[in-house]
């Protein structure tokens, strides 16, 4: 079953053996940043979820940390 881990503690995700990792923003707000306008938050969320969905279809043979826009 394909699984993608969205997290901000990348070294921990690598240590536990997660295969597909998508970086997030912070622990309390993984897919958004409440200090930014709502339109910016929507772009951040959409981008990260899109990267995660693309990662699901990727045929990664080893641990992969996918790049996201900042």
């Amino acid at each position: 079953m394909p699984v993608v881990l969205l997290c901000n503690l990348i070294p921990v995700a690598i240590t536990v053996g997660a295969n597909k990792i998508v970086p997030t923003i912070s622990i309390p707000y993984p897919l958004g940043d409440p200090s930014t306008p709502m339109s910016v938050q929507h772009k951040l969320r959409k981008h990260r979820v899109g990267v995660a969905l693309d990662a699901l279809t990727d045929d990664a043979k080893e641990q992969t940390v996918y790049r996201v826009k900042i």
Side-chain angles (χ1 to χ4, degrees):
M1 173 185 298
V3 176
V4 175
L5 178 63
L6 289 115
C7 70
N8 66 333
L9 300 172
I10 303 304
V12 174
I14 291 171
T15 300
V16 298
N19 194 33
K20 299 175 180 182
I21 306 163
V22 175
T24 58
I25 297 168
S26 68
I27 292 174
Y29 305 103
L31 295 177
D33 182 358
S35 66
T36 61
M38 191 58 79
S39 61
V40 173
Q41 288 186 53
H42 284 285
K43 287 179 185 176
L44 288 171
R45 293 174 187 169
K46 184 176 181 178
H47 174 67
R48 279 177 169 72
V49 170
V51 171
L53 290 173
D54 289 342
L56 282 174
T57 62
D58 187 24
D59 189 25
K61 300 293 184 199
E62 56 188 43
Q63 284 184 318
T64 306
V65 178
Y66 293 86
R67 295 183 145 266
V68 294
K69 296 178 189 173
I70 295 177

